[in-house]
Amino acid sequence: MRCAYCGCVQSRVVDSRQNEEGTSIRRRRECENCGRRFTTYERVELVPLMIVKKDQTREAFDVEKLRSSIVKSCEKRTVSLGKIDALVREIEQKLNSMGESEIPSKVVGELVMDGLKTLDEVAYVRFASVYRQFRDIQTFRDELNKLLADFDKGTADGNDAAR
Ligand SMILES: [Zn+2]
């Protein structure tokens, strides 16, 4: 870190402390050239995550919007809010760990569908039908058949394991 007084790039840290919330670290540095002290702060860089929609428009990622769309899909089902919140956190973490500043809405949709598939089939089909905007009954039927095939496979595997 370049010294604010003489421009020398060599400095040593003489004190380092975290703020109360643990969101930043303040460091007192001493310039190795002129001996003067200055302060630097270190924080996690929060890059706003942008979602690229089908029509190529961008929208800031909104975790509340994600949560409410999942809650809606789980209406009158037996999925607890705790499980929904866990799924939302998991999706948010996955998105952040991609290290991208722009993510296609498709990726978010797939993550939600993957998560819902394991939580509740009805919620999954509800979400998928809105998300994939089934154009007609045939696309809906195809999706349902795929789901049923997966489900049958899961049951069969379960039986095999039990034997
Ligand atoms: Zn200096």
Side-chain angles (χ1 to χ4, degrees):
M1 194 67 73
R2 193 178 291 277
C3 167
Y5 304 98
C6 73
C8 171
V9 290
Q10 306 297 330
S11 65
R12 62 186 191 91
V13 174
V14 291
D15 183 40
S16 173
R17 66 182 63 163
Q18 195 162 280
N19 69 348
E20 257 176 60
E21 302 82 35
T23 53
S24 78
I25 293 174
R26 176 185 187 273
R27 290 200 171 91
R28 282 298 282 168
R29 293 169 180 271
E30 193 177 277
C31 174
E32 288 185 359
N33 180 45
C34 72
R36 282 160 133 162
R37 290 186 174 187
F38 56 98
T39 309
T40 59
Y41 290 91
E42 184 179 297
R43 289 185 187 82
V44 170
E45 185 184 28
L46 286 173
V47 184
L49 194 56
M50 296 302 282
I51 302 301
V52 185
K53 297 196 283 184
K54 245 185 247 167
D55 61 3
Q56 295 304 303
T57 56
R58 270 97 168 135
E59 182 183 283
F61 173 66
D62 182 350
V63 72
E64 277 313 311
K65 203 173 148 189
L66 173 73
R67 188 172 182 276
S68 68
S69 70
I70 295 176
V71 168
K72 208 182 244 177
S73 305
C74 294
E75 237 164 48
K76 300 204 176 119
R77 300 297 300 165
T78 54
V79 184
S80 68
L81 278 179
K83 278 187 175 168
I84 293 175
D85 285 336
L87 176 60
V88 170
R89 268 198 306 275
E90 190 189 310
I91 293 171
E92 198 181 12
Q93 277 166 10
K94 276 185 186 161
L95 294 175
N96 284 327
S97 68
M98 286 176 187
E100 304 281 345
S101 53
E102 294 193 334
I103 293 177
S105 58
K106 190 173 178 283
V107 173
V108 183
E110 299 291 333
L111 286 174
V112 175
M113 286 193 280
D114 283 352
L116 283 180
K117 217 185 257 188
T118 59
L119 283 186
D120 188 280
E121 297 114 67
V122 172
Y124 163 74
V125 173
R126 275 185 194 156
F127 183 87
S129 65
V130 174
Y131 175 72
R132 292 219 167 119
Q133 297 172 321
F134 295 144
R135 284 168 301 268
D136 47 48
I137 193 75
Q138 188 57 46
T139 9
F140 182 71
R141 187 178 287 166
D142 290 348
E143 190 64 30
L144 208 54
N145 283 338
K146 246 189 277 167
L147 177 68
L148 288 173
D150 281 356
F151 185 70
D152 285 346
K153 201 170 151 270
T155 319
D157 290 349
N159 287 343
D160 285 348
R163 254 178 237 138

